[in-house]
Amino acid sequence: MTIKVKYFLFVGLIHALITYLVFLLLQDQKVYFILSEILIIISIALSVQIYLAFIRPLQFMANGINALEDEDFSVQYLQTGSLELNQLVEVYNQMIENIRNERVAIQEQHFFLQRLIQAYPAAIIILDYDDKISELNPRAVALLEKKTQELIGRKLQDLEHPIAAAIIATELGESQVINGKGIERYKCEIAEFIHRGFKRKFIQVSELSKEMLAAEKRAYGKVIRMMAHEVNNSIGATNSILNIGVDYLEGLETEGQEEIQQALQLAIDRNHSLSQFMRNFAEVVRLPQPNKELVSIVKLLRDVARYMAPVAQEQQVEFKTAFLEAEGQQAILDPQQMEQALVNIVKNAIEATGQGGIIRFEIQIDPLTIIIANNGPGIDPSVKDQLFTPFFSTKVDGQGIGLTLVREIVMNHNATINLETRVDGWTYCTITFLNNL
């Protein structure tokens, strides 16, 4: 039974009893009886007014609660004639105004945070209470190499990706440098935040490759410039002395003259080789910024294949191309620099493959990727992480600058390079262009 029913039942019984008593006592005194009935009617009216005065705040509170449950913070009430109710209306309206303002501020902050996460250059991964991926930005999607719908709701250990495995190995509150494919290096950090009273994790994976390689280039660039200065100065003076010796011996007829001249000429030639050796190092440091233009990728690869064909024929290496789907594909790049990089890659592939080997040239469209694969013996896992390190070479007479130069050219074209031997036994060198045509 509601309060309303109880109240009117009580008031009705009281007034019915009073009416009955008045009838018994004053039925012979009509004037007093009529006055008593008027007073009873007035009492009933006052009882109704008192009920309304008490019930309106309850109705007001019930309506306010319904509005809060519906998350409708636009409802406000007008002032009434009741002082007490006006005070309640004023408090409610102020509360709703504060809630609405805070809600708008929170929504604006949430929208800004979402936009910031989406535009953030580092990979951001947010986990739910069960350590499943609930949100991630485009950089994280690209890093994990899957579509967004394939990642949401999954745990990192279920992704079977080397980056995900490295993230799992990172302790909460710590950061570590992890290796990606090719030359990529990343800094992984894991932290916690409180959401609805419970802890959740978020992961940030920042690329360090460009910063690390820039610092590395500054370091070895300084060393190379110093070495080139000292070596070239010494070579110039030494060659002058040797040439004087050669010229002097030409005017003499002494025993062993020819052998001495040959020895001096050998020293001169060796000095020239040393000078060329230093110039090769200096090319990496002095590499200019690419002069980009619109280039046909198929034509670029065909030109490289034609240029390297004689070298391949000498080693009995077969070239195979697969460009049918990429005909007409273009990219904005420096054709001279990219050709130089591809020539270095093909030259290494020919040397690695040996006689009877096969080198495949392929192009993938989305994203634009150049692939040069060979069926050689593959890359030794112990040296895989050092392949792009300056001055490192697996060849006895190697200088270790070929892949360093390739790396510089590729990075200057906003591209990534990866060199790996896959399970099919083929070694793939892939150059993937980011934000290109």
Side-chain angles (χ1 to χ4, degrees), residues 116-401:
L116 181 63
I117 289 175
Q118 294 300 309
Y120 198 61
I124 300 292
I125 303 172
I126 301 176
L127 306 182
D128 62 14
Y129 308 111
D130 298 321
D131 288 339
K132 295 180 179 179
I133 298 174
S134 62
E135 294 180 59
L136 69 172
N137 64 353
R139 185 70 186 93
V141 174
L143 187 66
L144 295 174
E145 299 176 320
K146 292 183 181 294
K147 296 180 180 179
T148 303
Q149 56 268 29
E150 296 175 350
L151 295 170
I152 298 297
R154 298 184 63 185
K155 292 189 175 183
L156 290 171
Q157 51 263 41
D158 298 334
L159 298 181
E160 297 181 354
H161 191 281
I163 296 294
I167 292 173
I168 295 171
T170 303
E171 296 292 334
L172 178 66
E174 296 182 355
S175 63
Q176 69 168 344
V177 176
I178 59 179
N179 297 328
K181 292 183 176 180
I183 61 175
E184 291 89 359
R185 298 293 181 273
Y186 301 95
K187 180 182 179 182
C188 177
E189 299 176 276
I190 302 180
E192 286 184 334
F193 66 99
I194 303 297
H195 181 245
R196 296 182 178 180
F198 296 93
K199 292 181 179 180
R200 292 177 59 183
K201 294 179 182 178
F202 75 91
I203 301 158
Q204 175 178 310
V205 183
S206 308
E207 186 175 357
L208 298 178
S209 304
K210 292 183 179 179
E211 291 78 3
M212 292 174 65
L213 294 177
E216 178 185 89
K217 184 176 180 180
R218 287 194 297 269
Y220 69 68
K222 183 176 181 180
V223 173
I224 288 175
R225 284 191 294 270
M226 180 183 67
M227 289 172 58
H229 176 75
E230 297 297 329
V231 170
N232 288 333
N233 284 346
S234 300
I235 287 175
T238 303
N239 277 351
S240 296
I241 296 172
L242 293 173
N243 284 321
I244 291 173
V246 171
D247 293 340
Y248 176 76
L249 288 172
E250 286 181 355
L252 298 177
E253 294 183 1
T254 60
E255 185 179 353
Q257 174 187 351
E258 185 177 349
E259 289 79 1
I260 296 174
Q261 284 182 316
Q262 289 177 351
L264 292 176
Q265 189 60 49
L266 183 62
I268 292 172
D269 293 341
R270 183 55 189 154
N271 280 346
H272 283 307
S273 298
L274 182 59
S275 179
Q276 181 61 44
F277 178 81
M278 292 309 304
R279 281 197 295 271
N280 290 339
F281 279 129
E283 283 182 4
V284 179
V285 181
R286 294 196 301 263
L287 183 68
Q289 286 299 310
N291 183 20
K292 297 182 180 180
E293 59 186 75
L294 199 58
V295 176
S296 168
I297 295 297
V298 172
K299 182 179 182 301
L300 177 65
L301 273 181
R302 282 177 176 160
D303 289 345
V304 170
R306 290 193 192 101
Y307 177 74
M308 296 301 295
V311 180
Q313 290 173 0
E314 289 180 4
Q315 298 294 325
Q316 299 179 7
V317 174
E318 180 184 0
F319 284 172
K320 290 186 177 181
T321 58
F323 301 147
L324 293 179
E325 297 181 359
E327 290 291 347
Q329 184 65 36
Q330 294 179 311
I332 297 177
L333 49 82
D334 186 321
Q336 285 75 34
Q337 287 191 14
M338 191 55 64
E339 183 177 281
Q340 183 179 5
L342 294 173
V343 166
N344 271 284
I345 293 171
V346 175
K347 178 176 177 292
N348 287 344
I350 292 173
E351 293 174 353
T353 303
Q355 293 186 352
I358 299 174
I359 295 178
R360 297 202 315 255
F361 296 81
E362 301 175 10
I363 298 174
Q364 292 181 354
I365 303 301
D366 188 18
L368 178 58
T369 304
I370 295 175
I371 301 174
I372 299 176
N374 69 80
N375 63 346
I379 301 171
D380 186 344
S382 64
V383 302
K384 183 179 183 301
D385 293 336
Q386 304 179 65
L387 291 176
F388 293 94
T389 302
F391 319 131
F392 175 81
S393 177
T394 57
K395 305 171 187 176
V396 176
D397 57 347
Q399 300 175 14
I401 62 172

Side-chain angles (χ1 to χ4, degrees), residues 30 40 58 321 417:
K30 293 184 179 181
I40 291 172
L58 296 177
T321 58
I417 183 169

